[in-house]
Amino acid sequence: MTESTISETNRFGIRIIGERINPGFKSTRAMFEDKDLAAIQALALKQVEAGAFALNVNIGPQAMTDRAFLVDVIRAIQDVVAVPLSFDVPTAELFALCLTTYDRTRTGGELAIVNSITEHRWEAMQLYRDLPFRVMVMASERVTDGVAKNNKTAEDIAATARRAALRLRDEYGMALDHVFVDLSVSAIIADTEGLNRATLDAVRLIGADPELKGLHMMGGLSNIGQQLPPKAADGSDLKHGLENAFLTLAVPHGFDTVLGTPWRGYAPLAEDDYVLTAYRNFLDTTGSNALRAVRKLYKA
């Protein structure tokens, strides 16, 4: 794919970690069930050709029961693409398997990405000194008095991101450029607590913190339009519009990476765009007012 074509599908200029090697997609799940390595390779190539800078690898529960297949998938993907891989597996032991299988010579020395750690689930970091990697840090939960708690305010999200990033830098010597803070982007249909607003406010707080310069902010956008009708009140693609509305507000403050489908097409929305205007109105509300604001997205 040409550079101009890539820019047309990603006009924000953000990094896209390809999400499609995941059993959450029905067609991919069938590839795993059939152990169809050729089809998995074709899917990897398609994502890279569409502009993915890295590929997430998640084979689901099979990782626990069929480690040989996990190894085969990693090797098969690296036989056809030269981008870094992001590993989404449930245990530190499986991260170790992925990292030892991963061939850095195939990526020009680029490190793999561990997806992911939290303050409460830090075990994968024990591998770092022997098997260096980049890391996704989930900022959606913190540890208070030894107990994991969900973050619901911008301040808690930003403080968790800061604490984890500086711990990675100071205790492990990890460059902040190797840290991806994963910020949860909630489905708006049930967001009566202002979680979308908290995430966007956290992006601004993190982006303005001089000590976190170089850190990457990222997230998956697939949930934002969950359970909503396909079309907005103006006839546009509602889910896609919401994804671009979020990015339009977040990218200027340093949000630079998406876990998503590379050919999805991401572009800034005009100030008078219907979905962007309605999303902004939604962000200013909570409770039942938020539910009414969501309905205005798809009801004229």
Side-chain angles (χ1 to χ4, degrees):
M1 180 169 284
T2 67
E3 214 173 280
S4 61
T5 307
I6 291 172
S7 66
E8 287 171 9
T9 59
N10 177 14
R11 282 192 273 156
F12 284 105
I14 53 178
R15 297 181 175 202
I16 299 174
I17 300 174
E19 67 178 347
R20 305 291 296 198
I21 301 173
N22 185 316
F25 296 95
K26 186 177 179 180
S27 58
T28 309
R29 185 167 65 249
M31 296 176 195
F32 294 161
E33 291 169 352
D34 296 339
K35 295 191 175 181
D36 189 343
L37 294 176
I40 295 168
Q41 287 177 316
L43 180 57
L45 273 169
K46 182 178 179 181
Q47 292 183 94
V48 172
E49 289 172 353
F53 102 95
L55 299 180
N56 196 54
V57 178
N58 176 358
I59 70 166
Q62 276 180 267
M64 297 293 292
T65 59
D66 193 345
R67 298 184 181 195
F69 179 60
L70 176 59
V71 169
D72 287 344
V73 167
I74 294 169
R75 288 176 175 164
I77 293 170
Q78 289 208 284
D79 279 345
V80 294
V81 300
V83 300
L85 302 184
S86 164
F87 298 118
D88 187 355
V89 292
T91 68
E93 187 179 1
L94 286 173
F95 277 127
L97 177 62
C98 292
L99 292 167
T100 53
T101 303
Y102 179 77
D103 184 356
R104 284 177 62 185
T105 67
R106 303 287 299 179
T107 64
E110 291 276 0
L111 295 174
I113 304 169
V114 161
N115 176 9
S116 56
I117 64 168
T118 71
E119 285 192 323
H120 191 60
R121 300 189 303 278
W122 199 261
E123 296 83 6
M125 290 310 303
Q126 67 189 349
L127 304 171
Y128 182 72
R129 298 194 192 283
D130 294 327
L131 297 166
F133 49 82
R134 290 176 282 188
V135 66
M136 291 184 198
V137 178
M138 302 293 292
S140 55
E141 67 177 51
R142 68 190 187 280
V143 172
T144 302
D145 298 327
V147 178
K149 294 187 177 181
N150 291 332
N151 287 329
K152 295 186 177 182
T153 70
E155 292 74 19
D156 281 341
I157 296 167
T160 300
R162 188 177 201 279
R163 204 162 44 243
L166 295 184
R167 180 181 177 187
L168 290 167
R169 184 195 70 183
D170 297 341
E171 293 185 18
Y172 297 88
M174 185 179 289
L176 289 183
D177 183 51
H178 288 178
V179 179
F180 294 80
V181 172
D182 194 331
L183 301 163
S184 179
V185 183
S186 303
I188 68 168
I189 196 167
D191 184 3
T192 58
E193 299 179 286
L195 298 178
N196 269 249
R197 184 174 65 249
T199 296
L200 285 164
D201 287 345
V203 169
R204 296 184 187 99
L205 290 172
I206 295 167
D209 188 334
E211 206 167 0
L212 298 182
K213 186 174 176 59
L215 171 146
H216 301 286
M217 286 184 278
M218 65 164 291
L221 302 179
S222 59
N223 285 336
I224 194 169
Q226 195 174 54
Q227 297 181 44
L228 290 177
K231 297 293 183 181
D234 68 340
S236 62
D237 183 327
L238 179 52
K239 185 167 184 176
H240 194 210
L242 283 168
E243 292 170 353
N244 281 326
F246 177 88
L247 290 172
T248 297
L249 299 178
V251 169
H253 299 281
F255 190 97
D256 65 1
T257 306
V258 167
L259 177 65
T261 298
W263 53 87
R264 180 77 169 145
Y266 300 109
L269 300 180
E271 280 297 309
D272 62 351
D273 179 87
Y274 180 85
V275 173
L276 177 59
T277 299
Y279 183 59
R280 278 185 162 132
N281 290 337
F282 158 77
L283 291 171
D284 289 334
T285 63
T286 55
S288 59
N289 289 331
L291 299 179
R292 282 191 285 271
V294 169
R295 283 196 289 273
K296 288 181 180 178
L297 278 159
Y298 57 88
K299 285 190 177 181

